[in-house]
Amino acid sequence: MGGRPRGRLRVYLGAAPGVGKTYAMLSEARRARERGRDVVVGLVETHGRARTAALLEGLELLPRRTVTYRGVTLTELDSDAVIERAPALVLIDELAHTNAPGSRNAKRWQDVEEILHAGIDVVSTVNVQHLESLNDVVEEITGVPQRETVPDEVVRRADQIELVDMSPEALRRRLAHGNVYGPEQVDAALANYFRVGNLTALRELALLWAADKVDEQLGRYRSDHAIAGTWEARERVVVALAGGPEGDTLVRRAARIAARSKGADLLAVHITSADGLISGGDPADLVRQRALVEDLGGTYHQVIGDDVPRALLEFARGVNATQLVLGASRRRRLLMRGVGVTTTALSGAIDVHMVPHETTGGRYRQRSGAALTRTRRLSGWALALAGMPLLTAVLRPAGLTLPSEILLFLLLVVAVALAGGTWPALTAAVAGFGLLNWFFTPPVHTLTIGRPENLLALVIFVLVAAMVSTVVDLAARRSREAARSRADAEVLATLAGHVLRGESALPSLLARMRETFGLTAVTLLERGPTPGEPGPPGRDGESSEDGEVLKDGGLSEGGREPSEGRGESSEGGGESSERGGESFASWGAVGAGEWRVVATSGGLPATRPGLADTDVVIDDRLVLAARGRLLEASDRRVLEAFAAEAAVALRQQRLREAADRAGPLAEADRMRTALLAAVGHDLRTPLASAKAAVDSLRSTDVTWSDQDRTELLATADESLIKLNRLISNLLDMSRLQAGVLGVKLEPVAIEDVLPHALDDLGPLRDRLASDIPPELPEISADPALLERVLVNLVANAVRHSPDGERVLVRASRYGEHVEIRVIDRGPGIPAEAHERVFLPFQRLGDRDNHTGVGLGLALSRGLTEAMGGTLVPEDTPGGGLTMTISLRRAP
């Protein structure tokens, strides 16, 4: 398999269950088989849908892998069997699925990565609510948390994404006809998750996410094919900020222009030239305007460019902008005429809006690569060429002495040097030497100099002129270097601000580098470890792979069959233009000493040093490769600073990953330590009480009455019940932490479990009342574990209830679940502490340290979740706390 190229991934994306993702996947598989491809089914979930199951007929089904977890037998994808079978194409449903504990990989998408690395093409499905970046948004919309997620980057890396779209009304009709769920689930689904508002919002999320993917592919295609023109596929409004107070007006005007088009992007750009962008502007204005742009939903960018119009248009074309907003002062002081006119003349298909404003504080200036501007150099030449003859004509009839004439010519040369720099001044000095010699030095009208002192004076005149012009040029260069250093500092400060505001470190750094220096691609490369050399830390102590060379791919419309000429994926497009971070493969797939892409931004990345225009070596393993143009030495110094920060960001990311892996281990160790500490006191108390009662009964020194014997036996019995409950809690919590607690799910009637729980409560049973409807359906649970949960919750409720108040246990059906509520009238707990009470060894509000180790609620939630349910606290109307257990109805 080592010689096979990496397989291609195709993902069917849907807005909600039931839109037809699996159906579209199976339909494509059947078409591929008809074209002669070797197609197998790795894992497909039909969810009891007859039309979907019918499409499986005739397709080869690979056996699933069985996993036993807590006494429950589960089936999972057998990735090893898929790799061994080595088909051309395999179908794997539900990309975001979480594998059963004990599996080699925690997530199904990791299994898919292994299959892709084996050279096998994969077709999979995913719903928009399972995308990691949208998880919290979907929960806020639907009220249903999604615990199974897949990183967006995994889906974005797919070679092809097909959006399977369906209107909310059509999906609800499918649901009502029984094509999605069984008849008993339809009413609850329509009234909850599948409401029209929910489905409309989910559909919009799916469409926008797919549109972003298409936009990335379009940008990649334009970059790969060197397309500089603007394609108005999406409105993007760029506003140029010069650093004056007029910028606020420009930003708001650009935001209004963007708001006229649904989904338009707003981008603000600040061009930093080599000698400083702003003339008379205030840097505080830029800080305020950047915050305003971000408040309006836009992004702020900073670009270095000496030719302001060209740098501005290069940025606009690079982001595929459709409209450009510039400021134009009514006093004609915001932009020099050349900048505004040149930008408009070169804008091409980009619409340019010139927004007039009274007050201006910034002014763009076009600069060349020389120390002095082109205007100053031209004025210097003009002064030299016109001033020397004019001065000669004025001095000839004046009759001044030669020293006075030399001083006046020297004054003119100094003026030329101040205006135009070295070369105009040297030219003026040589011309002045000739004119003084010919017209003013005896004998006149000859090149002969009669007196030695006159020759010395003329030579000194030339030397002084040369020195003055050199000093002026050197001062101009120093001023330019200082301004360049200031510009570099501004760029670094802007970049650091983006990272500090929470942007993903590596993608942010690389994207800002690419924009700042006008590059086509910036890539962070890492060399694989040589034999005997450890790799960088990754998951589970292994080396990590943060990326590979990007592949082309496409996105087609949902449910539509690609044409025969296109094969299994669409042409053009590309993957995410900004990647970095999470690992997807092992170093073994890369090879010892080979280079791999850790993160990249822009077009086609360089896959090894030497393929880029500029390589910056960070250390023995890391190299930053930049494509697009050769960088000057001053640019390279700033790029080296960026590269060092990128290396730090990569190391910090890997340290965070290592810390995340160490967290559960530390928590388990803390749990074990706390368990041992708890045993020392909490086990000793009931054990001592029981032992004292038994010793008293066995004593022959005292004659006990029947009543005394009964009380001593009751004390021993109560202490042993408490001891048994405590030991059971400790053991079960330890098993939960270790993941070895056996769970046997079966149909259970609540009215059968509750009496056993009452027996375990002992004397506390008298303070309990129940309300269990006789028509309540059975639930899927482990009877013994459910009994333990009820005992712990009721005991906790009784302990916190006022004397004389009874604890109520009530049950009701809610959709496909049955909810059991344990209701007390105690003091309750504040909303911010609802989750804290489920931490082990927490007894919220207790002042008595002898009432137990605080495991009851933590254990109850752990046992409930082990049975596939949830346990959440709620405030009891009128005061108190209600603990709600939600378990799935038995089939």
Side-chain angles (χ1 to χ4, degrees), residues 720-740:
L720 292 175
I721 289 175
K722 185 183 299 184
L723 181 63
N724 179 66
R725 186 183 303 131
L726 180 58
I727 292 176
S728 298
N729 285 348
L730 291 170
L731 292 177
D732 283 346
M733 180 58 72
S734 180
R735 293 190 187 102
L736 276 175
Q737 291 292 319
V740 296

Side-chain angles (χ1 to χ4, degrees), residues 199-221:
L199 296 179
T200 303
L202 293 175
R203 187 188 188 199
E204 182 178 14
L205 288 176
L207 291 170
L208 290 175
W209 194 93
D212 288 339
K213 171 68 176 178
V214 174
D215 192 57
E216 291 171 3
Q217 293 174 346
L218 178 61
R220 172 72 180 280
Y221 181 85

Side-chain angles (χ1 to χ4, degrees), residues 306-379:
D306 290 324
D307 190 333
V308 174
R310 295 186 183 277
L312 185 59
L313 290 172
E314 284 178 5
F315 173 82
R317 293 190 179 104
V319 298
N320 203 22
T322 57
Q323 303 191 58
L324 179 61
V325 179
L326 301 175
S329 174
R330 293 190 177 94
R331 302 176 186 176
R332 308 190 63 82
R333 282 173 23 190
L334 173 60
L335 297 173
M336 292 184 65
R337 174 183 292 180
V339 175
V341 172
T342 304
T343 302
T344 306
L346 300 177
S347 61
I350 302 176
D351 297 336
V352 179
H353 301 263
M354 301 295 291
V355 180
H357 195 273
E358 290 292 345
T359 59
T360 61
R363 181 168 69 247
Y364 283 130
R365 297 185 299 171
Q366 301 186 69
R367 310 300 280 179
S368 69
L372 297 176
T373 65
R374 186 170 180 269
T375 302
R376 286 185 59 179
R377 287 184 285 113
L378 289 177
S379 63

Side-chain angles (χ1 to χ4, degrees), residues 13-16 128 134 137-138 141 163 165-168 196-212 262-263:
L13 174 68
V128 70
L134 301 177
V137 179
V138 172
I141 293 171
L163 178 63
D165 187 31
M166 180 175 290
S167 68
V196 173
N198 288 0
L199 296 179
T200 303
L202 293 175
R203 187 188 188 199
E204 182 178 14
L205 288 176
L207 291 170
L208 290 175
W209 194 93
D212 288 339
K262 180 67 174 178

